[in-house]
Amino acid sequence: MASLVNGVFYQLGSAKQSISEHSRKWCAVLLVLVAFTLALVATLVGLALRSYKGFGVVVVSGTFVTAGTVFLARVIASLWQKAKTLVRQGPIPFALLCGIAAIVAMLPISLVINRSEGLAMWSVIAGGGLVLSGMILLLIDGYPVFKQYKSPGYMVLGGVMIVLALVYMTWIAYWIVPYDPFEIEMGHPNTPPCAEFPMGTTSLGQDMLSRVIAGGATMLQVAVLSVIVCFCIGVPIGLLASYRGGAVDKVVSLVMDSIFAFPGLVLAIAIAAMLGPGVVNMAISIAVVYVPSYFRVVRSQVLTIRELAYVEAAIIMGARDRDILLRYVLPNVLPSSVVVMSINFADAILTAAGLTFVGLGLPVDIADWGWDLTYGFDVITLGYWWVPTFPGIMVVLLALGFTLTGEGLNEILTPKLQE
Amino acid sequence: MKDILRVEDLIVDYVTRRGVARAVDRVSLTVGENRTLGLAGESGCGKSTLGRAIMRLVPYPGKIVDGRVFLDLDEDIPYENGVLKKGEVEITALDEEALRAVRGKEIAYIFQDPMTSLNPMLRIGDHFVQILQAHNPEMEKDEALERGKEVLESLGILPERIGDYPHQFSGGMRQRVMIGLSLVMRPRLLIADEPTTSLDVIVEAQILEEMAQLKEKFNLTMILITHNLGVLAQTADDIAVMYTGRICEVATTETLFEDPQHPYTQALLESVPDVTKPDKKLSWIPGAPPDLVEPLPGCMFHPRCPKAMDICKKKVPKLVQSNNGGVVACHLYGGA
Ligand code: SF4
């Protein structure tokens, strides 16, 4: 399965080269993809009506109210600006402030509605509301910006929308799932999709649909954690080692290159096997694999930046190394590290899926796309196609979202490639 | 007259894939207090490398192989690991920290292209703060900005513009900012590497004029590196002519223009147009400078020299006292 998923991305990679020629066709495909994801997420979120917790509708409408407030505030603020009754800091912070105010106002409401878990519910509403607001602001304010970049811009926008939609769904999953995704024997084991279980059940009788809605959490956590760890290790090491050069640089480069030379998944498996299962351990093992990609990008950048005239001018005027690193080199390195980071997300997700596939993921009852993929792979021969298919689609969509963002940013931020 | 800078037998090599190119070959120089020394020569003659080698900032893959550079300090300079004592210090023997204390504080350097020598991401004020704080860490940001404003004002830039970004300035203005930045620490020696080459003639004239005034005001000693002999005629007190990394001739500006001794200097002057003599025939020097990776034996100018003799192909001429008070490296002189 993992290789299949990988295969899709190789295809995507080669398709990327012909973007400029087929930009129109591509945009159409992109639009369809984004629309598909959004529709899918909307449908899944719509299942809140059947939420077993009973508060699905409350949570969803709570987030919608937040997003609606942000939208309204944004529109009003821009009207104000046109009427010169300036909203001083600009419309976006104003809109967000209004959204946060709405969220705060919702705190007592959620405490009244649900005594025992009120705070938890409220935090979910707050988070989900902010993610939704983010999507809206991105559409309103981001669109004109990204439009200038043509297809890479649309790629970024589409990718981010896909990712945010999935994040939103995962975030509020707990409250909207029709059945407890962890509970076994919800229905008859291995029931094919039917009215009661629209995506069937697993062989433990868990509801597939609930698992699909809730299963992104692990993967997103692992991906975010590993990418952050990676970024925080790779970038500073790259900066320090390559700025000073000399023996340290040689040694660090050697270590990084040897890590890089390993097949990523194998190395991740080895490390994860040593650390044992768990979200943090998975994240660490993935992080180790991808540190060299940051290091290499940062290093190659630093080597060119060091030669820039204004860096030399600063050195020649006796500027401190600290100033040169933080104010001259780092700002130049950041764009390309962000690109690596966004591409890294997709890799991290696929690696996480791979880790779970070989049994280094989480315990079986936790809802996790990776797990259902693994498990479904075993039962697919028995004809239970629904078990791996739906989580598989979600993994592909999530990874696709990150890849689109990454590749798009890559083309926007590294203009050299366009020549 | 006191010597501010003394360079002794300085050698700089560039290690390239094709071999070793000697960009600066046993150069010795002195620069007296408050004098302006012009370094002249064709591009690639090593004059920029020499300027940078004085600050020990030879661009990769260059390396100072041998020789010493001395700088006279008129006060003690404290730095992180100690104090540089007043008097003569050997720059070529300083450690990184001490070097950083000298750079910008005692020797300032101005680059050729003002468009690229300011950090586009920092305001002009931040540049000033950065330099001032690098040399005295206790200085408050506001005080540093005040100092910056003063300097800008003395260069004819509105002090309010200290909050602007470099891209908001024109080329000439940026070069003024660069000059301001290099002077804000009150250095004793200013090395200017083709400071006006990328500017148009009118701005060039203004900036040269301003630099001359600043030199008076700040008691500066200057090294002006340029290929433009016209600029040197206006500004320099002494001129050193370089060819293929070696000094050919050093003399006061007047003597050099009136009575050039070295055949290369003569040829160089022949090729400069002169408005006072409109019917002067311009000449050029036939041939091209030799490849530094495969240096010629003897005087490197001999294939292009109209007065070349047999000995020129075998023996490297030494610098000797010439009849007009300067020094010259040519077998025609010094009773060779
Ligand atoms: S040494 Fe000989 S070749 Fe060199 S400049 Fe003098 S005369 Fe010409």
Side-chain angles (χ1 to χ4, degrees), chain A residues 169-336:
Chain A
M169 185 187 77
T170 313
W171 187 266
I172 62 171
Y174 178 75
W175 295 96
I176 61 169
V177 285
Y179 299 93
D180 188 337
F182 305 144
E183 202 62 48
I184 57 172
E185 307 268 317
M186 292 313 300
H188 203 64
N190 298 324
T191 318
C194 60
E196 204 182 342
F197 302 104
M199 289 187 183
T201 60
T202 66
S203 55
L204 295 174
Q206 295 150 311
D207 175 35
M208 223 28 249
L209 176 61
S210 309
R211 287 179 73 82
V212 164
I213 296 178
T218 321
M219 240 168 221
L220 280 171
Q221 278 171 34
V222 171
V224 170
L225 214 74
S226 67
V227 166
I228 290 176
V229 170
C230 239
F231 188 88
C232 295
I233 296 176
V235 174
I237 289 188
L239 274 182
L240 291 175
S242 45
Y243 177 68
R244 266 305 166 90
V248 181
D249 182 38
K250 287 219 177 79
V251 172
V252 176
S253 299
L254 194 71
V255 172
M256 291 293 169
D257 282 347
S258 27
I259 296 181
F260 201 74
F262 263 102
L265 190 58
V266 175
L267 186 62
I269 289 172
I271 298 170
M274 255 160 32
L275 296 174
V279 170
V280 177
N281 289 349
M282 267 166 95
I284 292 176
S285 47
I286 295 171
V288 171
V289 175
Y290 291 108
V291 163
S293 34
Y294 289 88
F295 175 78
R296 295 179 123 207
V297 168
V298 170
R299 190 179 123 85
S300 67
Q301 289 262 316
V302 171
L303 292 186
T304 41
I305 293 163
R306 222 171 40 174
E307 306 287 309
L308 286 180
Y310 64 83
V311 177
E312 284 211 303
I315 295 174
I316 226 162
M317 284 188 241
R320 287 170 290 194
D321 282 346
R322 191 180 70 199
D323 280 341
I324 292 176
L325 270 179
L326 292 184
R327 304 170 93 176
Y328 286 70
V329 183
L330 188 62
N332 279 303
V333 168
L334 273 188
S336 42

Side-chain angles (χ1 to χ4, degrees), chain A residues 67 70 96 128-140 161 164:
Chain A
V70 167
L96 276 178
L130 284 180
V131 174
L132 265 193
S133 321
M135 287 171 77
I136 286 177
L137 288 181
L138 195 70
L139 271 186
I140 303 179
M161 290 312 264
L164 284 184

Side-chain angles (χ1 to χ4, degrees), chain B residues 22 85 94 113 138 176 179 188 226 302:
Chain B
R22 185 148 288 188
K85 282 267 175 289
L94 295 180
D113 189 358
E138 288 96 51
R176 286 195 181 94
I179 294 173
R188 294 188 86 195
T226 178
H302 74 248

Side-chain angles (χ1 to χ4, degrees), chain A residues 310 312-313 317-318 327-328 331, chain B residues 52 100 116 119 130-131 135:
Chain A
Y310 64 83
E312 284 211 303
M317 284 188 241
R327 304 170 93 176
Y328 286 70
Chain B
R52 281 159 165 252
R100 199 177 67 67
T116 56
N119 185 346
Q130 176 184 302
I131 289 167
H135 293 287

Side-chain angles (χ1 to χ4, degrees), chain B residues 262-263 299 301-302 305 307-309 312 317 330-332:
Chain B
H262 195 281
C299 170
F301 190 54
H302 74 248
C305 179
K307 297 175 188 157
M309 304 168 288
C312 303
C330 173
H331 290 304
L332 291 172

Side-chain angles (χ1 to χ4, degrees), chain B residues 156-172:
Chain B
I157 300 176
L158 289 177
E160 298 92 87
R161 299 207 62 187
I162 199 154
D164 285 354
Y165 284 94
H167 68 86
Q168 289 164 299
F169 290 83
S170 66

Side-chain angles (χ1 to χ4, degrees), chain B residues 296-315:
Chain B
L296 304 173
C299 170
M300 292 242 237
F301 190 54
H302 74 248
R304 304 167 79 186
C305 179
K307 297 175 188 157
M309 304 168 288
D310 274 348
I311 186 173
C312 303
K313 295 185 183 136
K314 291 173 204 139
K315 209 174 144 207

